Amino acid sequence: MVVLILALVIGILIGMFIPVSIPQDYSSYVAVGLLAALDSIFGALKSTLKGDFKIDIFISGFVGNTLIAMLFAYLGDKLGIPLYQAAVVAFGVRIFQNFGEMRRVLLLKNKSLTKEENKND
Amino acid sequence: MKLKVKKPTGGQIATAILLLILGILISMQIKSVKQSNELKNLEKARAIELAEQINQLRKENSSLRAQIYELESKIKEYQDSAASISKTTELLKDELDKVKILAGLTDVEGPGIIITLDDSKLPATPNVDPNSFLLHDSDILQVINELRAAGAEAISINDQRIVATTEIRCAGPTISINNTRYSAPYIIKAIGDPKILKNSLMMRGGIIDLLKEFSIEVKIEEASNIVIPRYTGTLKFNYAKIKSEGS
């Protein structure tokens, strides 16, 4: 877990200091892709907490969802339909759902812990 | 400590790489959004600044114009009071007035003619250059020349007084006169003997004949009293100096 967070932080730092930024035209696609990637990470966190994390599902979801989201946004631009909104809504809702489940799992764990502590007391 | 002992699995390494890429992308995206916002703000600020500058200059301009009028009326007062001092000053005043008329620096009135020129109203016909049916700077120039030859004493186009420095020049679809752009119709006023002025223009084979050939609309009116405004620009001579007698 620490390694993963460290990787993320290092990535952010690298991105900050390299003198490259995303071209204005592609910025909106990347934004949607990032949302998809974040959704995958929240999903992974949830399944880790639940104990049914599978690496292949995570990686395929991360890469696949990101690419499809970007493609969707691009296609929407070309067709004149704001398709990226579909991706935003879908992944947004899923992030909140994942977060909700994580919350529930964590709270239940803590409750059982406190109960045990109480017992120990 | 425990984590260091644990060997990272292949899955963890892959996840770490993905997260690294994600981090890079996130901060790049943030930078890009920031840049675009800054750019937008910059443009907005620039537009606001320019608008403010224009408003300020307009205000300045109008206040300066008011100042000009004030000073001019003061000069006139001085001249009038100076003229009443003696015979010499009165003669000087007369001379000044004459020069002013000549230079176009004072409003003048008198008999003359009013010529209205407008582009041809004929529908465009194929195979004919549409330019032939429009008024050009050269047409106006010819009219002005004709009027001058016939002894016009003061001429204005669309109330722009024709003075020694006046240009009549093609400026895209408009014609620039005293550095002000006008489009058709052009109203040319000339003070002089109305009959002579009119006849010189209507001369057979003259300019009006030529213009009518291209069905350009020409209207000539004789008037017993027309007013021609003075030249409102500045006359500045940076290079030309009066030749000194001795040299």
Side-chain angles (χ1 to χ4, degrees):
Chain A
M1 201 67 178
V2 176
V3 181
L4 299 182
I5 291 169
L6 209 67
L8 187 65
V9 171
I10 289 170
I12 289 174
L13 288 176
I14 290 172
M16 260 200 272
F17 289 111
I18 54 168
V20 189
S21 67
I22 290 150
Q24 227 54 242
D25 297 347
Y26 303 118
S27 186
S28 56
Y29 310 143
V30 174
V32 176
L34 282 176
L35 193 69
L38 280 175
D39 166 61
S40 290
I41 286 167
F42 272 93
L45 277 177
K46 183 200 75 183
S47 40
T48 313
L49 282 174
K50 279 188 165 178
D52 55 0
F53 176 73
K54 285 206 179 64
I55 188 68
D56 46 354
I57 290 177
F58 168 62
I59 291 176
S60 65
F62 186 101
V63 176
N65 279 350
T66 305
L67 288 181
I68 286 176
M70 289 167 97
L71 195 75
F72 231 55
Y74 174 77
L75 198 69
D77 253 14
K78 290 285 158 248
L79 292 176
I81 313 166
L83 276 180
Y84 71 91
Q85 284 180 350
V88 169
V89 170
F91 292 121
V93 167
R94 268 182 47 174
I95 286 173
F96 283 114
Q97 274 176 355
N98 284 337
F99 183 66
E101 281 182 47
M102 276 158 68
R103 204 160 30 90
R104 223 154 283 154
V105 171
L106 284 172
L107 281 175
L108 282 175
K109 249 190 200 168
N110 276 351
K111 243 181 208 168
S112 55
L113 274 178
T114 44
K115 267 181 195 166
E116 276 169 24
E117 274 168 16
N118 284 345
K119 271 179 197 167
N120 289 347
D121 281 346
Chain B
M1 287 295 122
K2 262 186 196 169
L3 281 164
K4 272 195 177 170
V5 180
K6 254 193 213 167
K7 255 196 174 174
T9 59
Q12 269 178 326
I13 291 171
T15 315
I17 291 169
L18 282 182
L19 282 173
L20 192 81
I21 294 167
L22 182 71
I24 294 172
L25 277 177
I26 285 175
S27 49
M28 271 166 71
Q29 172 73 0
I30 288 170
K31 266 200 298 188
S32 157
V33 169
K34 211 169 143 194
Q35 271 176 6
S36 81
N37 281 347
E38 273 169 7
L39 212 69
K40 271 182 208 153
N41 286 341
L42 213 70
E43 278 168 5
K44 227 186 267 172
R46 181 102 185 106
I48 291 169
E49 199 187 305
L50 285 174
E52 252 167 41
Q53 268 180 22
I54 287 175
N55 274 339
Q56 211 178 329
L57 285 173
R58 268 194 196 137
K59 258 186 220 160
E60 240 170 80
N61 201 353
S62 66
S63 82
L64 284 173
R65 190 155 290 166
Q67 218 174 322
I68 287 174
Y69 284 131
E70 210 178 293
L71 289 172
E72 273 178 351
S73 67
K74 227 176 245 179
I75 287 172
K76 205 163 161 36
E77 249 172 62
Y78 286 139
Q79 283 170 353
D80 287 345
S81 66
S84 59
I85 292 173
S86 71
K87 192 82 188 156
T88 336
T89 52
E90 212 185 312
L91 283 173
L92 275 173
K93 173 77 167 53
D94 284 349
E95 182 73 26
L96 185 64
D97 285 346
K98 239 186 262 170
V99 169
K100 266 188 172 173
I101 291 176
L102 204 60
L105 295 178
T106 180
D107 295 356
V108 289
E109 57 177 359
I113 58 171
I114 299 171
I115 308 146
T116 311
L117 296 172
D118 202 348
D119 292 342
S120 169
K121 294 278 188 292
L122 276 185
T125 41
N127 300 327
V128 179
D129 184 7
N131 258 334
S132 334
F133 297 102
L134 295 178
L135 269 167
H136 293 279
D137 47 340
S138 55
D139 302 332
I140 307 249
L141 262 174
Q142 279 193 55
V143 172
I144 299 296
N145 257 343
E146 210 54 60
L147 289 170
R148 281 225 201 278
E153 288 164 8
I155 304 169
S156 74
I157 303 173
N158 288 4
D159 283 344
Q160 278 291 340
R161 181 70 167 267
I162 305 298
V163 294
T165 55
T166 297
E167 88 288 7
I168 297 170
R169 179 169 157 266
C170 179
T174 58
I175 292 174
S176 161
I177 299 156
N178 282 348
N179 283 321
T180 314
R181 288 169 175 205
Y182 293 99
S183 57
Y186 302 95
I187 298 165
I188 302 172
K189 292 179 188 167
I191 291 179
D193 186 328
K195 282 254 143 44
I196 296 177
L197 291 179
K198 191 175 178 183
N199 289 339
S200 74
L201 289 174
M202 302 294 279
M203 199 162 48
R204 194 169 297 163
I207 175 67
I208 299 299
D209 259 10
L210 196 76
L211 290 177
K212 279 194 169 150
E213 213 163 283
F214 294 109
S215 40
I216 278 173
E217 311 215 334
V218 184
K219 207 172 79 188
I220 301 179
E221 286 170 277
E222 287 177 44
S224 55
N225 192 41
I226 53 179
V227 179
I228 291 183
R230 68 201 174 85
Y231 176 63
T232 49
T234 49
L235 282 175
K236 228 178 171 184
F237 290 92
N238 290 329
Y239 303 101
K241 297 261 183 315
I242 292 174
K243 188 172 178 272
S244 50
E245 282 297 314
S247 57

